[in-house]
Amino acid sequence: MTLALETTDLKVQLRLAEGWFTVCDLSTLIPGRGAAALLPDGRQVAVFTDRAGNVYAIDNRDPFTGAAVLSRGLTGSHQGRPFVASPLLKQRFDLQTGQCLDDETVRVTAYEVKAA
Amino acid sequence: MTANPGGTPTIVLVGHGMVGQRFLEALAERGLTATHRVVVLCEEPRPAYDRVQLTSYFSGRTPEDLSLTDLRFIEEHGIELHVGDPAESIDRGARKVTARSGLVVGYDVLVLATGSYPFVPPVPNKDAEGCFVYRTVEDVLAIEEYARSRAKTGAVVGGGLLGLEAAGALKGLGLASHIVEFAPRLMPVQVDEGGGAALLRTIEEMGLTVHTGVGTQEIVVDASGAVTGMKLSDGSELATDLVVFSAGVRPRDQLARDCGLEVGERGGITVDEQCRTVTDPNVFAVGECALAADGRVYGLVAPGYEQAETAAAAIAGDARAFTGADLSTKLKLLGVDVASFGDAHGTTEDCLDVVYSDSRAGLYKKLVVGRDGTLLGGILVGDAEAYGTLRALTGSVPPVAPESLVLPAGAGQSAQLGPSALPDDAVICSCHNVTKGTIRGAVTEHRCTTVPEVKKCTRAGTGCGSCVKVLGRLVDAELEASGVEVDRGLCGCFSQTREELYEIVLALRITSYQDLLDRYGREGARGGEGCEICKPAVASIIASLAPAIGASTYVLDGEQAALQDTNDHFLANLQKNGSYSVVPRIPGGEIAPEKLIVIGEIARDFGLYTKITGGQRIDMFGARVEQLPLIWARLVDAGFESGHAYGKSLRTVKSCVGQTWCRYGVQDSVRMAIDLELRYRGLRSPHKLKSAVSGCQRECAEARSKDFGVIATANGWNLYVGGNGGATPRHADLLAQDLSDAELIRLIDRFLMFYIRTADRLERTSTWLERIPGGLEHVRDVVVHDSLGICDELEALMAAHVANYRDEWAETVNDPERLARFVSFVNAPDTPDPVVSFVPERDQIKPDLPLLDIGRRPADEILEGSAQR
Ligand code: SRM
Ligand SMILES: Cc1cc2nc3c(=O)[nH]c(=O)nc-3n(C[C@H](O)[C@H](O)[C@H](O)COP(=O)(O)OP(=O)(O)OC[C@H]3O[C@@H](n4cnc5c(N)ncnc54)[C@H](O)[C@@H]3O)c2cc1C
Ligand code: SF4
Ligand code: FES
């Protein structure tokens, strides 16, 4: 049986140098899909939630093409680790570490994130 | 003594071509880059690139795509690469090389990999303006520019391999093209008379003019010194604006001659079996500039690669020898397969030929067989499918009669030999000299389970690519043989095929992906997140069956939204900079002026780039996410709907103008195209579906290149199925003739639903038709003769789809909750994505891409949706 999490009041928050930054309500995220958010310094972050209610955040910029689109990729899990596949050329990135799973030399920033 | 006293010993490489680059890789693999200083002098203005694929520049590959040099590799191994700085002299006494820039480098080991230069026959005016050779990227750029600005006709001197490629390139540039060959046939080195004849016929059919048995005597020029024609040895004159010399190559050995290294009588730096020059133990020569120990200069890249490995081994003190190489080649010249292997010309004593020839079809196949039945070699023109197997069998007695190997499939006793018939030492990939044994080892010892893994592990298939087919079959056979059941499951989450999942979803009326995953997924995948392969595939199955199983017919409803590929999720096509394109449906390609004007106005108001697509409709590019609903709202108001350019679903039904206007038309093809497009719009399927309707046999709508194509006859319609354009074109097969309107539609309903039910994910109808057991005959039995008794069900499923169709754009525009998703940023809905920007081009816009390049995946892996691993 799956318990429906009470998500109404939870906020998705990122740890930035200055402290916790609120991105949006957890309820606005669709499990299995991402959304992009703008950070105060102009950088973009892709935030995701999965069916268990975990939240993840990595840089939104696809390092292979330069376009800010990682938030629009399809997510999945591989051996228990969550990933997103870039919608452009399909490389996969680990949502917890930002490591590209198809090219060990590439990694995007991963952010500490919580739903509180 | 070292060149760098007290420091590390130095290796200097002169020439950074294909073989030079391979030599560097071999050094790195043997750890020599760590123990040596490596200096490379590269004459060309760019580091090593794939010369073999040079001609693909004309089909859109940029010089960057052709590059073989990973700059990170160069950096990581501390290689000092001097681009655009050729070696000018060598002082062997002092062991120093001087480059054009004045740079002087001392060496302990010197490796010459200077390649060849194109031979230009000494005819008058050979250097005139408009005369070119065909060897480097710079040559190709110069030919392109001259052809575009100053030439209508082009002639190639030389009808060998390169000459034909060059002629194909000229033709591709829109020039009327001639080939002048001195020998009595084309490709005299590779093929015999019969093969030459088959090739000639096919090439002439393509519109090229071939002159064999004549030499070029003089280039004719005008007052300004530009080419206007050439005088031939038979006394005739050929008018031409551009000439490409492709009369063979000569080893570039001048540098070696100048410093006293021995060269062969007909050129080439003489080396021993270790690729060391016979004159100086500190100097090596590899690639096309070397005269190998067997007395030959090799003009192919594979032997050059082997020499590179050999020289690196010698420098490392390992034993390895280059004693000669196989000259087998398989090429696709102007789209014609040409292959020769082993003793192709039958020079072995007492050998026999087995020949199959059909010059009408441009086919010629010859096998050379020894007295005892040993396969010695052969030539294949027009169809080289069997090349991989035959080449590997060379030197052994094939397990079936040789004649059955050259007969076309289906003709009497043709036999297809699987790779399992091959011995372990058979070379499967000749570019990288990989044997069947090595490939089997990759599967059994290194536990590779897919072709990409085997490619990475063995390098097989990463050169010219001609062995990839055999490689794939071998890997599958090996997996099966070694007990690993070949996993035909959809992906890591499901062990079922797409077809099996379809049956499960239909029979149990499963409307949720999570439900399917948790109940039918693999053990470890249940309860997980799924993956990017099965999510869209299951979403497509649910969408195809939506009305029948009681799921929502709106693809963005509930959970379905999370499963869709990004294009379906935004109901638009993602472009390279993160913007989207919008394609409204224009059924049959027919559009009234008012609607054209609306599209023009919308594009103007939103600043979009417009283009007529290859599918007879109009695409508007450059929309930001937040603009999409506004654009759709205007389109929907004007009576447009989504064209599903983003979906694995019906794209377009093209039409020709047909009977209404055309003097030849026998049916109203436009009306039929519109009817079909409206009937099947929105139908989700394993891959995209395309169709076309032509008003008569002249086939102006290209219906036979479509998944289902319709051609009018005096008595009704002919239905063709399984056609494809794209990378592997296929002409559609006739399924049924002279159908009435109602019969036609009923058959298409059944055909499409049967395809949707049984095809694999991302399998077009063409590949499906060739894969399923029984092929076309089976499909005809099922959909025409109802042999499985499922036609009623297929028709009912289609009827449900048609009745429940709704426009996705209108639905989305009218739903405020959904609209909230169409923003660039959740936390700043009014801010557009600053990365999406444009610059002007030809009165419109184009994406301004951030400069960033960390290497792309090879082109064959980035076809739409092809995330297979
Ligand atoms: C826009 C268009 C080119 C144009 O400017 O004309 C186009 C654009 C794309 N085509 Fe195409 N194709 C377009 C007509 C065609 C045609 C011509 C036709 O339909 O008559 C063909 C050959 C016919 C066929 O499909 O058999 C064609 C064969 C392909 C293929 C090869 C399919 C194959 O089976 O080999 C791909 C790759 C794939 O699907 O894997 C492809 C993939 C693509 C993709 C999706 C590539 C990508 O992933 O970015 C392009 C994105 C579309 C977009 O809007 O962003 N496109 N493409 C044409 C849209 C037609 C339309 O109105 O919907
Ligand atoms: C259009 C075309 C199609 C081909 N198709 C095929 C095919 O299908 N299959 C096949 O096997 N082969 C094919 N070849 C042949 C293949 O490209 C060559 O065999 C291969 O490139 C040889 O490699 P190399 O390194 O010896 O010479 P190259 O690749 O020519 O490299 C030599 C390099 O050395 C440089 N150089 C010369 N002198 C100096 C100097 N003094 N100082 C510094 N640098 C110098 C040259 O500028 C050049 O860059 C084709 C060739 C062409 C042109
Ligand atoms: S296919 Fe026939 S009817 Fe249609 S435009 Fe061409 S010639 Fe005319
Ligand atoms: S034969 Fe060329 S890549 Fe294998």
Side-chain angles (χ1 to χ4, degrees):
Chain A
M1 196 182 91
T2 355
L3 282 177
L5 281 177
E6 186 54 66
T7 55
T8 17
D9 295 328
L10 294 178
K11 304 272 183 212
V12 177
Q13 296 186 312
L14 286 188
R15 165 103 93 196
L16 301 179
E18 321 61 91
W20 290 99
F21 174 78
T22 301
V23 173
C24 61
D25 289 343
L26 180 57
S27 59
T28 53
L29 297 180
I30 309 176
R33 278 232 97 95
L38 197 57
L39 299 184
D41 63 359
R43 273 178 305 159
Q44 298 187 23
V45 60
V47 290
F48 301 86
T49 184
D50 60 18
R51 56 191 284 201
N54 301 313
V55 283
Y56 309 98
I58 61 173
D59 199 81
N60 192 30
R61 186 105 154 200
D62 173 5
F64 291 91
T65 59
V69 294
L70 291 185
S71 59
R72 301 184 212 160
L74 277 167
T75 63
S77 53
H78 179 65
Q79 291 164 354
R81 298 193 67 83
F83 68 83
V84 62
S86 167
L88 279 170
L89 302 182
K90 317 285 178 188
Q91 291 90 350
R92 296 164 306 162
F93 296 87
D94 186 310
L95 288 178
Q96 286 170 336
T97 62
Q99 176 62 46
C100 175
L101 303 178
D102 299 296
D103 184 341
E104 64 260 17
T105 63
V106 178
R107 174 192 284 265
V108 297
T109 312
Y111 292 83
E112 198 183 324
V113 60
K114 65 177 182 191
Chain B
M1 184 185 92
T2 89
N4 182 8
T8 39
T10 305
I11 301 174
V12 174
L13 170 69
V14 177
H16 192 221
M18 298 187 72
V19 174
Q21 170 61 21
R22 183 52 174 273
F23 171 73
L24 294 176
E25 288 165 19
L27 284 184
E29 274 162 23
R30 288 174 188 272
L32 290 168
T33 46
T35 51
H36 289 67
R37 174 182 177 220
V38 179
V39 182
V40 184
L41 297 176
C42 167
E43 174 187 57
E44 293 188 55
R46 60 189 81 244
Y49 54 87
D50 193 347
R51 206 179 299 289
V52 169
Q53 303 287 343
L54 190 61
T55 306
S56 68
Y57 169 79
F58 294 106
S59 47
R61 278 177 79 183
T62 62
E64 290 70 49
D65 296 336
L66 289 173
S67 176
L68 290 176
T69 317
D70 179 353
L71 288 177
R72 263 186 300 149
F73 165 85
I74 299 284
E75 241 167 62
E76 263 166 31
H77 291 96
I79 296 170
E80 298 167 36
L81 173 62
H82 299 274
V83 175
D85 197 8
E88 284 201 329
S89 64
I90 298 167
D91 179 343
R92 289 198 292 120
R95 292 209 207 147
K96 281 187 167 47
V97 180
T98 307
R100 182 186 292 159
S101 64
L103 174 76
V104 179
V105 203
Y107 66 80
D108 297 278
V109 177
L110 174 65
V111 178
L112 301 173
T114 48
S116 301
Y117 65 91
F119 168 69
V120 177
V123 293
N125 296 324
K126 65 181 172 48
D127 298 321
E129 206 180 338
C131 287
F132 299 91
V133 293
Y134 197 75
R135 175 103 196 153
T136 65
V137 164
E138 274 50 49
D139 293 336
V140 162
L141 296 175
I143 291 172
E144 181 184 37
E145 164 154 2
Y146 199 84
R148 291 213 194 283
S149 57
R150 311 196 30 192
K152 292 215 157 46
T153 304
V156 175
V157 178
L161 182 163
L162 291 186
L164 293 186
E165 279 210 25
L170 294 185
K171 178 170 175 274
L173 286 169
L175 305 190
S177 307
H178 296 262
I179 301 171
V180 180
E181 167 59 50
F182 188 66
R185 62 169 185 274
L186 291 172
M187 291 194 47
V189 183
Q190 287 84 0
V191 307
D192 60 2
E193 220 178 294
L199 196 58
L200 176 68
R201 191 182 155 86
T202 318
I203 285 179
E204 284 185 332
E205 256 172 26
M206 290 174 190
L208 285 102
T209 316
V210 180
H211 314 258
T212 47
V214 287
T216 307
Q217 287 197 317
E218 185 182 335
I219 304 298
V220 187
V221 296
D222 64 13
S224 75
V227 174
T228 60
M230 48 205 267
K231 284 195 180 138
L232 304 180
S233 58
D234 61 0
S236 65
E237 191 173 322
L238 179 66
T240 183
D241 313 314
L242 182 157
V243 175
V244 177
F245 288 105
S246 179
V249 294
R250 298 284 184 274
R252 286 189 72 173
D253 54 15
Q254 195 59 43
L255 202 56
R257 285 173 196 261
D258 291 347
C259 68
L261 291 171
E262 183 185 314
V263 297
E265 219 169 275
R266 283 181 294 153
I269 306 164
T270 319
V271 298
D272 62 15
E273 291 189 353
Q274 274 65 51
C275 297
R276 207 185 285 270
T277 59
V278 293
T279 322
D280 186 336
N282 296 316
V283 183
F284 289 76
V286 291
E288 289 194 342
C289 65
L291 174 63
D294 65 345
R296 290 174 113 144
V297 173
Y298 286 91
L300 292 171
V301 71
Y305 281 173
E306 249 187 87
Q307 294 171 355
E309 298 280 354
T310 305
I315 295 169
D318 296 342
R320 188 184 164 120
F322 179 87
T323 51
D326 179 20
L327 286 177
S328 302
T329 33
K330 177 181 165 203
L331 311 151
K332 210 172 190 85
L333 284 171
L334 302 159
V336 189
D337 279 336
V338 180
S340 75
F341 55 96
D343 180 11
H345 293 279
T347 53
T348 313
E349 214 177 303
D350 263 2
C351 62
L352 305 165
D353 286 355
V354 176
V355 177
Y356 171 81
S357 156
D358 175 355
S359 48
R360 200 171 48 96
L363 284 179
Y364 176 84
K365 301 183 188 181
K366 178 178 93 171
L367 298 183
V368 180
V369 184
R371 274 263 170 241
D372 59 350
T374 310
L375 178 64
L376 299 172
I379 294 171
L380 307 170
V381 176
D383 170 15
E385 246 331 280
Y387 170 75
T389 327
L390 288 176
R391 185 195 51 197
L393 279 172
T394 304
S396 65
V397 180
V400 298
E403 49 278 16
S404 60
L405 295 170
V406 289
L407 282 176
Q413 6 181 296
S414 77
Q416 233 114 51
L417 267 191
S420 44
L422 299 174
D424 260 1
D425 58 358
V427 174
I428 301 296
C429 174
S430 61
C431 285
H432 294 285
N433 201 12
V434 185
T435 60
K436 174 175 165 188
T438 310
I439 292 167
R440 290 183 44 188
V443 175
T444 50
E445 280 151 43
H446 301 273
R447 308 194 167 277
C448 299
T449 53
T450 63
V451 173
E453 277 169 27
V454 173
K455 277 180 159 178
K456 209 166 173 182
C457 175
T458 63
R459 280 191 163 183
T462 57
C464 68
S466 70
C467 61
V468 175
K469 235 189 192 147
V470 179
L471 186 66
R473 287 164 59 202
L474 198 55
V475 170
D476 273 355
E478 202 46 47
L479 282 172
E480 256 163 9
S482 63
V484 186
E485 204 177 307
V486 178
D487 194 333
R488 308 212 181 274
L490 181 65
C491 61
C493 311
F494 286 100
S495 61
Q496 299 87 344
T497 61
R498 180 192 170 281
E499 180 179 356
E500 288 161 349
L501 290 175
Y502 177 101
E503 296 298 342
I504 294 174
V505 168
L506 177 61
L508 305 179
R509 301 178 148 253
I510 295 179
T511 57
S512 144
Y513 166 81
Q514 272 183 21
D515 194 15
L516 188 69
L517 181 65
D518 294 352
R519 284 164 66 188
Y520 295 95
R522 295 181 199 257
E523 204 67 57
R526 295 187 189 171
E529 292 297 314
C531 76
E532 81 282 19
I533 295 173
C534 57
K535 279 178 167 177
V538 172
S540 160
I541 293 175
I542 293 177
S544 302
L545 291 172
I549 59 174
S552 164
T553 54
Y554 176 50
V555 296
L556 296 188
D557 230 6
E559 184 206 39
Q560 288 196 43
L563 309 177
Q564 307 297 340
D565 254 322
T566 179
N567 282 356
D568 293 79
H569 190 66
F570 287 96
L571 306 174
N573 293 52
L574 182 63
Q575 302 297 320
K576 61 204 291 185
N577 65 344
S579 67
Y580 285 86
S581 80
V582 178
V583 189
R585 188 167 293 296
I586 300 182
E590 182 185 83
I591 182 164
E594 293 73 36
K595 282 191 154 180
L596 269 178
I597 290 169
V598 171
I599 291 184
E601 285 173 347
I602 294 175
R604 183 197 55 207
D605 296 352
F606 288 89
L608 306 175
Y609 166 83
T610 52
K611 178 180 177 301
I612 310 285
T613 72
Q616 293 190 346
R617 49 191 187 169
I618 300 169
D619 201 343
M620 294 177 265
F621 296 81
R624 294 187 162 86
V625 194
E626 57 274 13
Q627 291 178 320
L628 289 173
L630 306 172
I631 295 171
W632 297 333
R634 295 227 352 225
L635 286 168
V636 169
D637 273 351
F640 286 103
E641 59 178 14
S642 164
H644 295 101
Y646 46 81
K648 298 288 176 280
S649 56
L650 181 79
R651 296 283 168 92
T652 59
V653 182
K654 303 210 246 186
S655 75
C656 78
V657 65
Q659 186 186 40
T660 321
W661 293 86
C662 176
R663 60 189 157 143
Y664 295 118
V666 291
Q667 303 286 347
D668 187 350
S669 48
V670 178
R671 180 196 48 85
M672 180 53 79
I674 295 173
D675 286 355
L676 294 178
E677 186 156 345
L678 296 182
R679 183 169 182 80
Y680 302 119
R681 64 188 163 180
L683 177 66
R684 292 300 201 274
S685 52
H687 207 314
K688 56 194 169 192
L689 287 169
K690 298 181 176 184
S691 176
V693 185
S694 280
C696 84
Q697 295 296 355
R698 284 171 193 75
E699 243 283 73
C700 298
E702 300 173 312
R704 287 195 64 195
S705 66
K706 299 297 172 208
D707 296 280
F708 57 105
V710 180
I711 301 178
T713 68
N715 308 317
W717 309 99
N718 284 355
L719 173 60
Y720 295 83
V721 295
N724 208 165
T728 318
R730 182 179 190 278
H731 252 132
D733 294 310
L734 183 62
L735 186 69
Q737 268 171 300
D738 291 330
L739 303 164
S740 68
D741 285 11
E743 287 167 338
L744 174 71
I745 285 171
R746 200 173 58 180
L747 259 193
I748 300 177
D749 282 2
R750 294 172 174 184
F751 172 78
L752 291 179
M753 275 299 169
F754 186 51
Y755 159 69
I756 290 174
R757 178 171 207 147
T758 54
D760 268 345
R761 139 184 191 277
L762 295 182
E763 184 176 48
R764 290 286 293 267
T765 55
S766 58
T767 21
W768 168 74
L769 201 58
E770 300 208 328
R771 175 186 59 86
I772 55 165
L776 179 70
E777 283 315 312
H778 174 62
V779 171
R780 185 177 286 129
D781 279 348
V782 174
V783 304
V784 181
H785 308 304
D786 198 10
S787 62
L788 298 180
I790 57 170
C791 285
D792 285 346
E793 187 187 350
L794 297 177
E795 285 175 38
L797 285 170
M798 187 62 86
H801 163 76
V802 174
N804 285 283
Y805 165 81
R806 290 183 289 174
D807 173 28
E808 292 159 3
W809 286 353
E811 196 118 342
T812 307
V813 170
N814 294 326
D815 180 342
E817 196 205 316
R818 296 255 146 53
L819 283 182
R821 293 181 198 157
F822 289 84
V823 293
S824 290
F825 302 111
V826 264
N827 62 342
D830 301 323
T831 311
D833 176 0
V835 178
V836 175
S837 62
F838 303 94
V839 289
E841 182 175 73
R842 293 188 297 275
D843 301 332
Q844 300 202 61
I845 56 161
K846 69 167 183 186
D848 186 14
L849 271 186
L851 278 178
L852 193 191
D853 196 14
I854 57 169
R856 307 189 131 213
R857 284 192 170 186
D860 63 342
E861 289 178 29
I862 57 169
L863 289 183
E864 178 184 17
S866 60
Q868 275 136 333
R869 264 173 295 272

